[in-house]
Amino acid sequence: MSDSLFSFYRNTLAEHQGSVVDVIFDCQQELVWAAGQKGVVTSYYSTGLSLYTKFQANSDITQILTVEPGLLTLSAERLNLHTRTGQRQLSVTSANMKELCCMSVSPAKPEVLIGGQYKIMTKYDLQSRKISGEIAITDDGCVLIKETPSLNCLGSPNGSIYLYDKNTHKQTNVIEAHSGTISDVDISDNMLVSCGFASRGNDLSVKRSLLLYDLRMMRSLNAIHCSIDPLQLKFMPMYHSQVLIASQTGQFQQLEVTSTVPQSNNCFNIDLGGNNCYALDLSSTSKALAIGDTAGVLHLLASQEGTQFNAFSHPTFFPSETVLNFPKPVSIDDVTFPFASIPLPLTNERMLSEWPPEFNRPGDRRPKPIDPEALRNMKMVKYIGYTPNPNNIYKNSIPYDMNVLRKQTESPTKRVEDTVHIPRVYQQVQVDPSVLTELELRNLNRTKFSVIHTSKRYKYLCPIIQMLYYIEPIALALKAHICQSFNCLACELSILFFNLDNTDDKITDADNFFQIFEQTVDSKSHSLFFSARHPETKDLIHISQSIVTTLLRILDKEIAPIGGTSPIFLTFGSKVRQVLTCLTCKHVREKSSINLCYNLVYPISKTSISFLELLKNVMQLEIPRNLPCDNCCDYKNIESSILESLPYILHINCGMQSQEDVLFWQQQVASHNNFAKQNACPAGLNCSSLECTKIHEPSAWLPLYFHIRAGKEQGQLVFKRGKYDDKPENGERPGIFEYELYAVIAHIDNKSTQDRQYGLLLHTNIGRSYHLKKGSDDRCWYIFNGISATCTSDKECVTFGQTWKTPCIVIYKQVKLPKEITPNTTPNLIDVFTPYKYLPGFNLMPLSLPEVPSKGELVGVGVEIVKDYLVRVVMVRGQGLNEGIPFSHDICPSSLNPEILQSVQQAMLTPSKILYYKIKCLADRGIILVGHNITKQLKCLNIQIPSQQYINSSELFRPHSDSEFYPPMEFLSSHLLNVDYISSPENNALLSLQLYEKFLELKRAGQFEKTLKSLHETN
């Protein structure tokens, strides 16, 4: 390095009342940060040092680091995260966060290691916003933390460097670096370099040499002698073998760590005005150097003006009128302004708009007098008056007599016509749910049910799977399905529906199902998955209808019993007899088929037609066919469809693949609404006249209820809107089929946003059995839109005709469930636990019929996880004569490699879905699973079971319920059970059962609190 490399220099006063304690270049943007002694953080843009932000972060600051969400600031007892504009995102503190002075961010995970001159080091997860662990270190603590992919390197005040394994958090080595205290440490690849002080009697002096240590070979290398007194050092990011050292007085030297000869050149000085260098940092491009001194001045050196700090920086946000997009000013006297159009921020603090009570007084506004025309036409029923609307009063509005203000404000009707407002419940939520807090998820999902979520590419498929889950016969049949074939969609849906039944989370992941569905032959041949870069609206509507039909046919093949009819055909299928009649010789040919869905066909003429007439024309279709007759060989034929049975679930595809179809639907909705408005009865539902033929209750073009009955002629069906009123005394209705609307999948096209957004959402009427699972007896309509869900009304579900809302799929179901559609029973537990495949020499004691656990009994579970991948699962009997003996010992084939096979010589090869079924069957029978850290194990397995059906032995002996510390199995087994711990899944399962029995024994004896206190004092 030479002076010519740093030809540009600029400085600025960053701290007015003290020194600069730390400087750092932003890893994401072209910013340099300086932290002052009084806790003020300042950021500057580019080499010009333009002031960007300045805010109070802490009362005192020891270190700062930049991460993707913002800036981390560390004080003696607290870790704060601020955005780059100064808003505080989180503040972390705990009982073991004392005397903090250093931290480090892991390059592989969003985790922060926090340490100081205390014997406990804290690990904090930035993604889950929780303390993920506490690591015991030496009593002296640490003053520096550096990380490698496998090691945590801690610099101690006594001059030593301690190396800890990242996975086990155990000390692996100690480097006796300096006889005095340590000054600085840096790591590049496997090379560690350090500078510090030497102890001479009672005095400390700076060592003019650098310690060099090879972390791969774990040995010291030759020390590097320096021409200056090194107090700080940094590896140059662009030159991995070169290190930059700095003295206290502003002298700098570049050294080559691989060189074996003395190096005295490559030195340069910076005039600090008699002050001392306190902090420094190099940019990732090695072309900029930032220095903070004791006078509060920030010095910046660069190769030239405008030098980039990072190779690929994100754009820096600068406020401007166009970016801030402030709403237009509104007069304070404008009483027509809708305050609901301004989003209310989510905060726990008192808002500025909340005036103190002493400044508020109750008041009222006089409404306008009632229109005399309305009073003349009023009809009194008891003490309530009914009158037709004279068409000068808007619905759900109270007009006030404020003529003076109305002249000054714009008419609300003119303002609405300019733009199309889409309600928030219909707008797509473009956010990753993993970054949302529990409160934000509850605000998006205001129901007791979990929504299905997947990656962005398959997001449009989630409403379809959600709809199938709430069709109870299909869901029960799929949850009872079990097979041993690979890539079975029915098995994946069975596991997904089981998780939806038992989860308490607001979101359930469905990536496994969609990845397998994408690989099926049918989905590839139909091109059901389009590119996320160039999707089109018509493609999304067409694909959603094709996917449902394709999925039903695949499921029918997979769950159909041998020699029987599958629940798919029993539920969705309708038997149709197709009659081909020759118009010349009247020769008739017949064949039977089963329809799973009906596709609406819209007429060319624009005459008004009801939805039921349209449906009837499709179900009883008559079309000409250009086919030769077997008798006369003429090509004049007509094909008629005669329904021999009606489906329990009526699946209707609305088409909508052309603009003409959309316009036809909108015209029919408008015509129906105009007719209903013109023929509405003034008395509405309170009309008592038996001869009144007016419409008493407004309805939509898409009916909520209709019934079908047989006509006078054979094969003729009569469709009629509404419920069937003629109820016989015995309750039986032969030949009458009542249908109610069950679900609607709609396409939302939001053109009002800058980036056009469109997708699918689900309206569904969830049945009573689903509410009972969630502890509720209510039943209502819901909207599922991405990761948001909310209750709605039945009228909202049948309201169409807008340009932004288009129906795709309509589902009706019969009001009364036929007896033949009865779900299958739960699979036999003995069949599920029959060994799938053995490795040679394995001695397993399978479950016998008398040994099958019943509700409330225990099963021990031990799981081996390597790098977040499931390797082995062992299940142990929790009671009986063979208590403690494994009855299931499985290994996943995807995890097989020679090392695992050598360590597990006797195991059972089992597909992942068979493991799911084993745990699922145990949970269905009410069996309680006991395991150490079983919550994490079930999450790794991606299966949800009710919280009352598993016991985590590590949570039983926590210090208190809010503690993040979970005692390890090795500690509990030695102090509570007096046994030596052997790390294996079968041993973990057995010890978990014994720990739970010990817990119950201490509870019964009243010694639990005393034992727990003694246990953690020992720890």
Side-chain angles (χ1 to χ4, degrees):
M1 179 182 293
S2 63
D3 293 333
S4 61
L5 184 61
F6 286 148
S7 59
F8 178 81
Y9 171 78
R10 182 160 292 179
N11 62 9
T12 184
L13 184 62
E15 176 63 39
H16 294 272
Q17 300 178 354
S19 61
V20 175
V21 297
D22 199 7
V23 294
I24 189 171
F25 285 97
D26 200 306
C27 62
Q28 301 281 333
Q29 301 183 16
E30 293 293 306
L31 299 174
V32 57
W33 295 85
Q37 191 174 1
K38 300 297 183 181
V40 177
V41 176
T42 313
S43 64
Y44 300 92
Y45 179 73
S46 189
T47 55
L49 293 183
S50 303
L51 180 62
Y52 181 64
T53 52
K54 188 172 185 178
F55 54 89
Q56 183 77 34
N58 269 318
S59 57
D60 57 337
I61 293 179
T62 58
Q63 188 180 352
I64 59 175
L65 285 176
T66 58
V67 290
E68 186 175 354
L71 179 74
L72 292 171
T73 60
L74 185 68
S75 63
E77 295 182 349
R78 188 176 299 274
L79 174 69
N80 287 344
L81 173 64
H82 292 78
T83 64
R84 288 174 172 81
T85 54
Q87 291 84 12
R88 189 168 69 178
Q89 296 294 307
L90 62 88
S91 182
V92 185
T93 185
S94 70
N96 290 324
M97 293 176 65
K98 303 176 183 177
E99 304 178 26
L100 304 176
C101 61
C102 55
M103 62 178 171
S104 175
V105 177
S106 174
K109 299 180 181 179
E111 290 183 345
V112 186
L113 279 179
I114 312 166
Q117 298 180 18
Y118 186 63
K119 60 183 179 181
I120 298 295
M121 184 169 61
T122 304
K123 184 164 65 172
Y124 185 80
D125 192 334
L126 290 173
Q127 186 171 1
S128 61
R129 303 290 177 93
K130 293 181 180 179
I131 295 177
S132 57
E134 293 179 339
I135 305 169
I137 58 177
T138 60
D139 293 338
D140 295 335
C142 60
V143 293
L144 290 167
I145 301 177
K146 298 292 181 180
E147 293 190 47
T148 70
S150 60
L151 294 173
N152 293 324
C153 305
L154 311 182
S156 175
N158 60 13
S160 301
I161 300 175
Y162 296 90
L163 306 182
Y164 286 82
D165 186 88
K166 270 194 171 182
N167 296 325
T168 62
H169 305 305
K170 293 183 179 180
Q171 181 179 320
T172 61
N173 206 345
V174 180
I175 305 173
E176 300 295 339
H178 311 283
S179 57
T181 185
I182 198 168
S183 180
D184 204 355
V185 175
D186 203 4
I187 298 174
S188 177
D189 293 335
N190 293 311
M191 197 69 67
L192 180 145
V193 63
S194 173
C195 61
F197 295 85
S199 177
R200 297 178 180 177
N202 294 328
D203 297 331
L204 294 176
S205 61
V206 180
K207 289 176 59 177
R208 278 212 170 188
S209 62
L210 303 180
L211 168 76
L212 199 60
Y213 194 84
D214 190 343
L215 295 175
R216 180 174 52 187
M217 305 302 294
M218 290 296 176
R219 64 184 180 90
S220 296
L221 303 178
N222 294 332
I224 303 174
H225 296 280
C226 313
S227 302
I228 62 175
D229 294 337
L231 283 181
Q232 299 185 61
L233 56 86
K234 289 285 183 183
F235 268 108
M236 300 181 65
M238 298 298 290
Y239 313 100
H240 298 291
S241 62
Q242 296 183 11
V243 64
L244 178 68
I245 61 174
S247 69
Q248 190 174 9
T249 58
Q251 297 174 316
F252 293 83
Q253 183 181 8
Q254 176 198 4
L255 294 173
E256 177 71 37
V257 296
T258 59
S259 177
T260 57
V261 298
Q263 306 175 56
S264 58
N265 55 353
N266 293 338
C267 296
F268 63 96
N269 299 330
I270 297 178
D271 185 12
L272 300 180
N275 301 306
N276 295 330
C277 175
Y278 202 96
L280 67 88
D281 190 28
L282 270 169
S283 67
S284 61
T285 58
S286 300
K287 295 182 179 180
L289 174 66
I291 304 163
D293 63 18
T294 53
V297 178
L298 173 66
H299 306 263
L300 179 67
L301 287 82
S303 59
Q304 61 182 4
E305 187 174 2
T307 297
Q308 288 191 346
F309 299 155
N310 303 301
F312 303 99
S313 293
H314 295 175
T316 304
F317 171 81
F318 288 96
S320 63
E321 292 186 2
T322 57
V323 175
L324 290 177
N325 193 19
F326 288 113
K328 295 181 180 179
V330 180
S331 172
I332 196 172
D333 298 327
D334 187 0
V335 295
T336 62
F337 178 74
F339 288 101
S341 63
I342 304 298
L344 188 66
L346 200 62
T347 177
N348 294 326
E349 301 177 357
R350 186 185 182 95
M351 301 188 66
L352 184 63
S353 58
E354 297 181 17
W355 284 59
E358 58 268 20
F359 293 100
N360 297 330
R361 64 179 179 85
D364 56 358
R365 295 178 187 161
R366 296 279 180 175
K368 290 178 61 176
I370 301 176
D371 193 338
E373 183 69 20
L375 292 175
R376 282 195 301 270
N377 296 329
M378 182 175 295
K379 178 181 180 181
M380 297 298 299
V381 178
K382 295 184 179 180
Y383 54 88
I384 301 176
Y386 298 90
T387 183
N389 190 345
N391 295 326
N392 59 3
I393 300 176
Y394 297 101
K395 186 179 180 181
N396 296 330
S397 65
I398 301 176
Y400 295 109
D401 191 7
M402 307 183 73
N403 296 324
V404 177
L405 294 178
R406 189 174 291 108
K407 293 179 181 178
Q408 301 175 358
T409 59
E410 183 184 2
S411 175
T413 56
K414 295 181 181 179
R415 208 168 44 239
V416 174
E417 293 173 357
D418 296 338
T419 59
V420 177
H421 175 66
I422 298 179
R424 182 176 299 179
V425 70
Y426 290 104
Q427 297 177 9
Q428 294 287 322
V429 181
Q430 302 291 342
V431 66
D432 184 6
S434 61
V435 302
L436 299 179
T437 62
E438 286 293 330
L439 178 60
E440 292 170 334
L441 287 175
R442 286 199 300 270
N443 287 333
L444 288 173
N445 184 358
R446 298 176 178 269
T447 69
K448 296 183 179 181
F449 302 98
S450 179
V451 297
I452 296 176
H453 176 73
T454 183
S455 58
K456 188 175 181 180
R457 183 181 181 190
Y458 311 129
K459 187 181 296 184
Y460 61 94
L461 298 179
C462 293
I464 296 173
I465 307 303
Q466 197 99 34
M467 177 191 71
L468 291 178
Y469 169 66
Y470 290 117
I471 299 177
E472 190 172 9
I474 301 300
L476 292 176
L478 288 171
K479 285 187 287 187
H481 171 74
I482 180 172
C483 69
Q484 295 183 352
S485 62
F486 292 94
N487 296 336
C488 177
L489 292 180
C491 292
E492 293 298 332
L493 282 180
S494 174
I495 297 164
L496 178 61
F497 291 172
F498 176 78
N499 289 340
L500 288 171
D501 281 343
N502 297 291
T503 184
D504 294 327
D505 299 334
K506 293 296 183 181
I507 293 178
T508 299
D509 180 59
D511 280 340
N512 291 344
F513 166 76
F514 288 122
Q515 288 173 1
I516 292 179
F517 182 48
E518 187 180 13
Q519 302 303 321
T520 59
V521 177
D522 290 325
S523 65
K524 289 182 178 180
S525 62
H526 287 81
S527 301
L528 300 182
F529 292 83
F530 59 81
S531 172
R533 294 185 177 181
H534 304 287
E536 297 182 5
T537 305
K538 61 181 181 180
D539 292 339
L540 187 56
I541 296 176
H542 168 67
I543 287 174
S544 64
Q545 298 172 0
S546 300
I547 281 180
V548 177
T549 306
T550 302
L551 186 58
L552 290 178
R553 295 193 179 278
I554 294 174
L555 294 177
D556 172 67
K557 298 176 184 177
E558 293 178 344
I559 67 175
I562 299 176
T565 306
S566 72
I568 300 294
F569 273 11
L570 289 176
T571 306
F572 284 91
S574 58
K575 191 175 181 181
V576 180
R577 180 161 52 91
Q578 295 175 340
V579 180
L580 189 65
T581 305
C582 178
L583 298 178
T584 304
C585 65
K586 307 301 181 183
H587 178 68
V588 176
R589 288 178 294 174
E590 295 184 0
K591 67 175 182 178
S592 298
S593 62
I594 295 180
N595 282 355
L596 293 180
C597 69
Y598 292 94
N599 300 315
L600 293 183
V601 179
Y602 302 102
I604 301 177
S605 62
K606 298 182 180 180
T607 57
S608 298
I609 184 174
S610 69
F611 178 83
L612 293 182
E613 291 179 16
L614 203 64
L615 179 62
K616 179 182 178 181
N617 294 337
V618 173
M619 298 181 71
Q620 294 184 332
L621 192 63
E622 290 189 359
I623 55 175
R625 290 290 188 185
N626 191 18
L627 297 174
C629 175
D630 295 341
N631 187 26
C632 65
C633 299
D634 198 353
Y635 282 81
K636 296 181 180 180
N637 298 275
I638 186 169
E639 182 179 347
S640 304
S641 298
I642 300 176
L643 286 173
E644 296 185 345
S645 65
L646 291 173
Y648 165 65
I649 298 292
L650 182 56
H651 171 205
I652 304 171
N653 287 335
C654 298
M656 300 296 176
Q657 299 174 23
S658 64
Q659 190 64 27
E660 289 76 12
D661 295 349
V662 178
L663 290 176
F664 177 83
W665 189 289
Q666 294 175 356
Q667 291 169 359
Q668 296 303 320
V669 170
S671 176
H672 177 84
N673 293 340
N674 292 334
F675 178 80
K677 184 177 181 180
Q678 295 172 2
N679 294 272
C681 178
L685 295 175
N686 297 299
C687 179
S688 57
S689 175
L690 299 178
E691 299 178 356
C692 181
T693 59
K694 296 287 186 179
I695 298 176
H696 299 91
E697 183 179 5
S699 60
W701 186 64
L702 182 67
L704 286 170
Y705 298 91
F706 71 90
H707 58 273
I708 303 176
R709 60 180 176 85
K712 296 181 180 180
E713 299 180 5
Q714 184 179 5
Q716 183 184 11
L717 296 177
V718 178
F719 291 69
K720 189 174 182 181
R721 177 187 288 265
K723 299 180 180 180
Y724 186 70
D725 296 330
D726 298 335
K727 299 182 180 180
E729 296 181 358
N730 57 2
E732 297 293 336
R733 303 172 185 177
I736 304 297
F737 300 91
E738 288 188 87
Y739 284 90
E740 63 176 347
L741 186 63
Y742 196 63
V744 177
I745 291 181
H747 178 268
I748 305 299
D749 188 359
N750 189 357
K751 302 178 183 177
S752 60
T753 59
Q754 184 176 2
D755 297 330
R756 184 179 179 184
Q757 298 176 359
Y758 48 84
L760 302 178
L761 62 78
L762 170 67
H763 296 279
T764 183
N765 186 9
I766 299 178
R768 183 171 178 267
S769 60
Y770 291 90
H771 286 87
L772 293 177
K773 294 176 185 177
K774 303 298 181 181
S776 173
D777 198 15
D778 301 329
R779 183 182 176 184
C780 65
W781 282 85
Y782 293 88
I783 292 180
F784 290 90
N785 184 13
I787 61 175
S788 66
T790 185
C791 296
T792 185
S793 64
D794 53 359
K795 294 182 180 179
E796 187 73 20
C797 303
V798 295
T799 301
F800 292 95
Q802 307 94 326
T803 57
W804 50 268
K805 184 180 180 184
T806 307
C808 298
I809 300 172
V810 178
I811 301 293
Y812 285 93
K813 77 176 186 69
Q814 290 189 25
V815 176
K816 188 175 181 180
L817 177 68
K819 295 181 180 180
E820 60 268 17
I821 307 180
T822 304
N824 298 330
T825 57
T826 305
N828 189 359
L829 193 64
I830 298 296
D831 298 336
V832 175
F833 280 89
T834 299
Y836 180 74
K837 186 177 181 182
Y838 289 103
L839 285 179
F842 182 69
N843 185 15
L844 181 71
M845 185 182 290
L847 283 175
S848 60
L849 189 59
E851 287 184 309
V852 173
S854 58
K855 184 177 181 180
E857 294 186 341
L858 305 179
V859 167
V861 179
V863 176
E864 181 180 355
I865 300 173
V866 177
K867 295 181 180 180
D868 294 335
Y869 286 98
L870 189 69
V871 176
R872 290 195 296 165
V873 179
V874 177
M875 299 184 188
V876 175
R877 295 169 172 85
Q879 55 277 317
L881 297 177
N882 297 320
E883 181 180 354
I885 299 178
F887 62 87
S888 177
H889 190 177
D890 308 313
I891 184 169
C892 295
S894 59
S895 303
L896 284 178
N897 58 57
E899 295 180 1
I900 296 177
L901 284 176
Q902 186 176 1
S903 61
V904 188
Q905 296 179 0
Q906 299 175 348
M908 200 167 63
L909 299 178
T910 309
S912 298
K913 72 172 186 177
I914 300 298
L915 292 178
Y916 299 150
Y917 275 118
K918 289 185 177 183
I919 297 179
K920 175 179 177 294
C921 289
L922 291 175
D924 287 340
R925 294 179 66 91
I927 298 168
I928 300 176
L929 306 181
V930 183
H932 204 72
N933 290 329
I934 192 172
T935 309
K936 178 182 178 182
Q937 296 165 0
L938 291 173
K939 185 177 180 180
C940 181
L941 195 58
N942 194 20
I943 190 168
Q944 301 277 353
I945 66 174
S947 56
Q948 65 271 16
Q949 284 189 237
Y950 65 86
I951 297 172
N952 190 348
S953 59
S954 63
E955 291 186 354
L956 299 177
F957 297 95
R958 278 197 300 173
H960 51 82
S961 59
D962 297 331
S963 175
E964 297 290 338
F965 175 70
Y966 293 88
M969 175 68 79
E970 182 178 3
F971 174 76
L972 294 176
S973 60
S974 60
H975 287 77
L976 289 176
L977 304 177
N978 297 322
V979 296
D980 294 333
Y981 175 71
I982 301 175
S983 179
S984 66
E986 53 269 25
N987 193 41
N988 287 344
L990 180 59
L991 291 178
S992 298
L993 289 170
Q994 294 176 358
L995 285 174
Y996 180 59
E997 292 176 0
K998 186 68 176 180
F999 169 78
L1000 296 178
E1001 178 185 339
L1002 293 173
K1003 280 286 189 180
R1004 288 192 295 264
Q1007 299 293 321
F1008 177 73
E1009 298 296 336
K1010 180 180 178 181
T1011 304
L1012 185 64
K1013 183 178 180 181
S1014 174
L1015 189 69
H1016 288 283
E1017 287 177 354
T1018 305
N1019 187 31

